[in-house]
Amino acid sequence: MNPPFFLTTIAFVIYILAFLLLGFFVHKLYKKYYKKQHQKIIKENLRQLEIQKIQADKEVIRLRNEKLSQEIEAKNRELAISTMSIIKRNEFLRSIKKELKNTNEIDETNPVFKLIEKNLNSTKDWDFFREAFNNADKDFLKRAKKLHPDLTHNNLKFCAYLRLNLSSKEIAPLLNISVKSVEIRRYRLRKKLNLPHETNLTDYILSI
């Protein structure tokens, strides 16, 4: 009597082939799964590296900006100190000149007066101030000249002092002129810049 089909040699061969085929497909599925997982890990690592790079770039920019701010602050302090030292020195010289004029012993032909005038009108003060000003507010004078080509050297000097938001009283000793003369210069500069009545001169200079 012949055995049932499921116990025959052919059936066993089919079982073995089916088992091998199933093993092959399971292996393929696991291989595909692990490959997908591997790619996912790589992608996640790349994403983390990108995030770290962005954070590092942000930190570099922050440190660079912080350094730049510190440099600007230092230059502004230097400018403020140099400006105030010139103001105070000129005020002191003018007060000495005034006191000397009130005495009958010395007249304006005296060499002392000439020495005071020479120091009050010294171009070295402006050169020193301009260097500090250019370090703190780079290219302002160039921008002002480009916008208003007819501005003279003295106009630009006056603009630089206005840029610091100095009052007429503070500007006067820098230019060795009276406060009233500073106000006249303000008026003339407004006309030269063709500013409308409602525009504040200092605000406009600050906006350049």
Side-chain angles (χ1 to χ4, degrees):
M1 184 179 176
N2 291 328
F5 179 75
F6 61 86
L7 293 175
T8 62
T9 304
I10 294 171
F12 279 111
V13 170
I14 291 169
Y15 295 152
I16 292 166
L17 287 171
F19 180 76
L20 290 171
L21 196 62
L22 180 65
F24 174 75
F25 277 115
V26 169
H27 174 71
K28 288 286 282 183
L29 285 171
Y30 268 108
K31 194 175 179 181
K32 191 176 180 181
Y33 171 78
Y34 282 117
K35 188 179 180 181
K36 194 176 179 181
Q37 287 296 105
H38 184 63
Q39 287 175 341
K40 190 178 177 182
I41 291 166
I42 290 171
K43 196 178 283 185
E44 181 62 25
N45 287 340
L46 287 171
R47 194 178 72 85
Q48 288 295 330
L49 284 170
E50 190 65 30
I51 290 169
Q52 287 173 9
K53 186 180 180 298
I54 291 167
Q55 288 174 341
D57 289 344
K58 281 183 180 177
E59 183 64 15
V60 168
I61 291 167
R62 187 189 69 79
L63 291 170
R64 194 179 293 157
N65 289 340
E66 196 175 285
K67 186 184 176 185
L68 189 63
S69 295
Q70 288 172 352
E71 285 175 358
I72 291 169
E73 207 174 296
K75 286 172 181 177
N76 284 335
R77 276 199 303 269
E78 182 188 328
L79 176 60
I81 291 165
S82 67
T83 305
M84 290 314 296
S85 67
I86 294 169
I87 289 172
K88 293 298 178 188
R89 196 209 64 184
N90 284 7
E91 281 178 344
F92 179 65
L93 288 172
R94 289 177 81 182
S95 65
I96 291 173
K97 185 180 173 183
K98 189 178 178 181
E99 288 297 320
L100 289 172
K101 276 186 178 180
N102 291 333
T103 65
N104 296 322
E105 296 174 12
I106 303 174
D107 58 28
E108 290 192 32
T109 59
N110 192 287
V112 175
F113 277 100
K114 289 181 180 179
L115 186 62
I116 291 171
E117 281 298 326
K118 186 181 176 182
N119 278 278
L120 283 170
N121 296 306
S122 175
T123 56
K124 287 181 181 177
D125 288 343
W126 167 246
D127 292 338
F128 179 70
F129 169 84
R130 185 174 56 188
E131 188 179 346
F133 181 82
N134 285 335
N135 284 334
D137 198 349
K138 200 168 179 64
D139 297 332
F140 164 73
L141 296 173
K142 287 180 184 176
R143 291 196 304 271
K145 186 69 176 174
K146 190 176 180 180
L147 281 170
H148 304 280
D150 57 335
L151 288 178
T152 65
H153 171 76
N154 285 333
N155 291 150
L156 290 169
K157 187 189 288 190
F158 193 61
C159 286
Y161 295 143
L162 291 174
R163 181 85 167 172
L164 294 178
N165 214 8
L166 297 175
S167 66
S168 295
K169 190 179 177 183
E170 289 169 322
I171 294 172
L174 286 168
L175 297 173
N176 191 26
I177 57 176
S178 65
V179 174
K180 188 178 178 181
S181 295
V182 174
E183 293 301 323
I184 292 168
R185 286 203 184 191
R186 281 179 181 270
Y187 173 74
R188 287 176 180 168
L189 183 61
R190 284 185 64 88
K191 285 187 72 177
K192 204 162 196 178
L193 297 173
N194 293 316
L195 293 182
H197 181 70
E198 64 274 10
T199 304
N200 181 275
L201 176 60
T202 304
D203 288 343
Y204 175 73
I205 295 298
L206 288 168
S207 72
I208 294 175

